Amino acid sequence: MKSVYLGITGDIIHPGIINIINEGAKLGELTVGLLTDSAIVSHKRLPYLTYEQRKNVVENIKGVAKVIPQEEWSYVPNLKKIKPDYIIHGDDWKTNYLSAIREEVFEVMKEWGGQVVEIPYTQGINSSALADNAKAIGTTPDIRRATLRRLIAAKPIVRIMEAHSGLSGLIVENTEVMKDDGLHSFDGMWSSSLTDSTSKGKPDIEAVDLTTRLQSLTDILECTTKPIIYDGDTGGIPEHFVFTVRTLERNGVSAVIVEDKKGLKKNSLFGTEAKQVLATEEEFCEKISAGKKAQVTKDFMIIARIEEIIAGYTVDEAITKAFAAVKAGADGVMIHSKDKSGEDIKEFCAKFRAVYKNIPIVLVPTTYNQFTEDELAAWGANVIIYANHMLRASYPAMQKCAEEILKAERSLEVNDICMPIKQILELIPGTK
């Protein structure tokens, strides 16, 4: 029997996919190369279903003989491995973003005399529209919560942008840029205590309780689908942190970041004192351990924010606290610094990676923002948080608008700096 290869993502199975599978099965024994999360995520959004869930669906479709992982976006590695007699594909790849891959496939199939079979595109089926419709429906707390771990496992860098309102969340959710290496977008959102309180015109103090923070968080949760990392400040006493963990987990938040400070909150960006009051190793680990015991699912993450460097201590002291936090159950570490050179962060990453190869490192490169995501990934970082840029960008724009209207005594002069209200409303689900 002839061998046939078909590569698919398998996230949304529609009549067009079934038609290609049927046509492939007519040619011989059909092997489906199911793209892994890591193969997909650098070019498209992370699939709604996990690889195992997608595999379970596809291998039970009539006509599929077996399912193997396709570890790369390109079909070529799998084709060279199994050397099929045929590869089957919809003919829409002649003109869409897969046209370059199509040329590669034709070249490699010539090596063993294989044939490329192109099936006419099924009319009336728009995969992108189906994906957009699924996105419009929303998500569930369980799916959203689990997404961050999947992204960390699948991507070299998970890109997180601050959101402080439903509208800023929608901007983070929908902004995309097509580059040579594929589609670039934000993978999730950072719910910052600083930007949340500032957007409300209130000081960033830890007396602002979780109930108050949840108002803004709920606004974001209700109109977006991407994972959220929550800024938990110090988390309070262990009993308070237990409540925070349970509340966030129940609402579908993916992770909480808790810092090792104690006492009256003082933002890391202010102050020239050499040393701030930090929790002892025992105090910090007790809180992390209590939070881990409180969570219900395996998906939720507690990330330890190590403040030693920014508080004037050494990198080695920061490493000692980080190691202790991991042993207490922390799922990742965030290391912070005001040093614009980034050298202390780089040193920390190297020393941490020498011991822990797979524990996620989270960086917030606000002060050392000359480094690209690829460079930070080379240091060992897994997650990059752009911690306050949406709020910082909005303030000068609003202030300029207000000043221009006062100067001109009319709004005509600000037309060019104001987005049409129709364009804003198009962001809002249900208004199109």
Side-chain angles (χ1 to χ4, degrees):
M1 183 179 286
K2 298 286 187 179
S3 58
V4 187
Y5 186 81
L6 168 65
I8 63 172
T9 62
D11 199 30
I12 299 176
I13 303 297
H14 52 74
I17 295 293
I18 297 298
N19 179 54
I20 292 176
I21 289 173
N22 289 338
E23 293 300 317
K26 292 177 184 177
L27 296 171
E29 183 178 78
L30 178 63
T31 295
V32 171
L34 189 63
L35 273 71
T36 60
D37 284 358
S38 57
I40 296 168
V41 78
S42 60
H43 295 268
K44 299 171 69 173
R45 182 178 174 137
L46 185 74
Y48 288 94
L49 302 179
T50 67
Y51 177 84
E52 291 302 323
Q53 289 171 328
R54 292 182 283 122
K55 181 174 182 288
N56 188 46
V57 171
V58 174
E59 65 188 3
N60 282 286
I61 297 175
K62 183 180 179 182
V64 175
K66 61 180 175 180
V67 177
I68 64 172
Q70 183 171 311
E71 303 281 358
E72 298 186 29
W73 184 247
S74 170
Y75 303 102
V76 170
N78 270 11
L79 292 177
K80 288 187 173 182
K81 188 184 303 181
I82 65 177
K83 292 184 169 56
D85 298 296
Y86 302 99
I87 178 173
I88 191 165
H89 202 287
D91 66 357
D92 55 317
W93 70 340
K94 293 178 180 178
T95 56
N96 67 16
Y97 59 92
L98 292 174
S99 59
I101 287 182
R102 176 179 181 268
E103 294 177 9
E104 290 180 354
V105 167
F106 270 90
E107 285 301 314
V108 76
M109 290 294 284
K110 288 179 183 176
E111 293 179 12
W112 55 86
Q115 184 177 344
V116 180
V117 178
E118 297 176 312
I119 303 299
Y121 183 74
T122 303
Q123 297 302 312
I125 299 295
N126 187 324
S127 298
S128 298
L130 289 172
D132 288 342
N133 288 338
K135 178 178 170 182
I137 292 170
T139 187
T140 67
D142 289 339
I143 292 174
R144 190 201 293 260
R145 186 192 311 113
T147 301
L148 181 62
R149 283 193 184 272
R150 290 179 59 202
L151 284 164
I152 291 172
K155 296 192 70 177
I157 278 290
V158 176
R159 187 183 296 118
I160 304 293
M161 171 62 87
E162 168 262 318
H164 54 271
S165 64
L167 183 59
S168 62
L170 283 168
I171 293 171
V172 176
E173 176 97 1
N174 293 292
T175 301
E176 297 177 341
V177 174
M178 181 59 73
K179 300 179 70 174
D180 291 341
D181 59 348
L183 189 67
H184 285 233
S185 60
F186 293 104
D187 299 302
M189 299 162 216
W190 167 239
S191 175
S192 160
S193 64
L194 170 63
T195 59
D196 181 59
S197 58
T198 304
S199 68
K200 292 182 173 71
K202 298 179 179 179
D204 180 26
I205 55 176
E206 196 146 8
V208 177
D209 61 17
L210 176 61
T211 303
T212 303
R213 292 276 309 278
L214 276 175
Q215 295 174 3
S216 299
L217 184 61
T218 300
D219 288 341
I220 298 170
L221 286 165
E222 287 181 343
C223 62
T224 63
T225 65
K226 293 185 177 182
I228 295 177
I229 301 176
Y230 181 87
D231 177 8
D233 289 327
T234 70
I237 62 176
E239 291 80 3
H240 293 167
F241 188 54
V242 163
F243 173 76
T244 298
V245 167
R246 289 175 176 166
T247 301
L248 295 175
E249 183 183 30
R250 184 171 59 250
N251 280 277
V253 172
S254 294
V256 61
I257 293 183
V258 58
E259 62 189 27
D260 61 344
K261 290 180 185 174
K262 65 179 182 179
L264 183 65
K265 177 171 180 179
K266 186 175 185 65
N267 192 284
S268 300
L269 299 175
F270 290 98
T272 57
E273 296 87 355
K275 296 184 187 294
Q276 300 182 45
V277 180
L278 301 184
T280 66
E281 185 177 303
E282 183 179 0
E283 290 169 331
F284 193 41
C285 291
E286 179 189 2
K287 190 176 298 181
I288 292 169
S289 180
K292 290 305 295 180
K293 290 175 183 176
Q295 71 182 71
V296 176
T297 69
K298 295 184 295 183
D299 300 322
F300 189 76
M301 301 177 70
I302 295 176
I303 298 171
R305 174 169 160 171
I306 309 301
E307 291 285 296
E308 263 67 9
I309 295 175
I310 206 166
Y313 295 84
T314 66
V315 171
D316 286 337
E317 287 172 303
I319 282 290
T320 298
K321 183 70 76 69
F323 287 171
V326 172
K327 290 175 183 176
D331 300 288
V333 297
M334 174 200 277
I335 183 64
H336 221 10
S337 172
K338 289 189 291 187
D339 182 3
K340 293 183 179 180
S341 74
E343 288 302 316
D344 48 7
I345 297 294
K346 187 176 182 180
E347 180 185 348
F348 175 93
C349 291
K351 290 182 175 180
F352 187 84
R353 279 285 169 257
V355 177
Y356 291 107
K357 305 298 184 185
N358 299 314
I359 298 292
I361 296 176
V362 181
L363 299 185
V364 186
T366 306
T367 54
Y368 51 99
N369 59 7
Q370 68 271 33
F371 298 103
T372 65
E373 293 165 1
D374 286 344
E375 289 173 314
L376 297 175
W379 294 2
N382 303 91
V383 180
I384 302 301
I385 297 179
Y386 299 98
N388 45 43
H389 296 77
M390 295 290 279
L391 182 71
R392 287 166 55 197
S394 66
Y395 180 84
M398 290 190 292
Q399 185 165 28
K400 181 178 180 182
C401 176
E403 289 175 351
E404 291 301 320
I405 288 175
L406 284 175
K407 289 176 184 176
E409 299 185 13
R410 63 181 185 181
S411 64
L412 176 66
E413 281 70 17
V414 300
N415 280 356
D416 290 342
I417 64 171
C418 291
M419 179 184 289
I421 192 65
K422 181 177 181 293
Q423 193 172 342
I424 293 177
L425 292 177
E426 286 174 349
L427 275 175
I428 312 300
T431 60
K432 291 185 180 181

